[in-house]
Amino acid sequence: MKRLGYSWGVIFIFVCWMLIIESILVLVKYIKKIFSMIRDNQYRDAQREQQTKEILEALWTRVDEMSSVEKEHLKYFINNNNKPLLDRNISYPYEHLLNSDWVHKTQYTGNKLISRKVNIINDNGQTEAKEFTYSVKYQYILKEPIYKILKYSWERYGRISHFD
């Protein structure tokens, strides 16, 4: 080294500069990786939000087509954490909520009685409320994915259809 005219001090400074430059390059590469991960996460979040909006739009459209009784059943499930809805032995049409692929249905084995008030139009054309008591035949709960998206819709937007 003395023949080339370099001393240990010059070599030490050269090695330090090389380490500093290499450290800066590694740091720049790490920062680029972090920004890339942030951008990817933002893109995934935007995609997830778009999918959620599409699912909610389809859900709200389907709920819009339901009767007021069916909407009340949905609100019952949401407000009671998907607690079983007890109902009598009624034959619902296929498209009705309680006869759809949105619910699980099983026979009720208990002996609980349910009272419901019903408005009836009498012979004079006036409406009067009568209370009927009947035994429970079936119990229903919403399927878990349906319950979760309805609960999300209720908590996030305060509605379960376009018109609530």
Side-chain angles (χ1 to χ4, degrees), residues 85-123:
L85 173 70
L86 305 176
D87 201 11
R88 58 190 167 172
N89 187 13
I90 293 179
S91 178
Y92 291 106
Y94 175 74
E95 63 275 356
H96 192 277
L97 171 68
L98 297 182
N99 199 24
S100 71
D101 58 348
W102 281 24
V103 296
H104 293 293
K105 170 185 172 181
T106 187
Q107 287 192 345
Y108 181 71
T109 56
N111 54 4
K112 187 173 183 176
L113 296 175
I114 294 180
S115 296
R116 291 226 173 119
K117 290 183 180 180
V118 178
N119 291 330
I120 297 177
I121 300 174
N122 61 19
D123 295 335

Side-chain angles (χ1 to χ4, degrees), residues 10-24:
V10 173
I11 294 173
F12 178 74
I13 292 173
F14 175 77
V15 170
C16 286
W17 274 109
M18 290 302 290
L19 288 174
I20 290 171
I21 292 171
E22 191 64 31
S23 297
I24 291 172

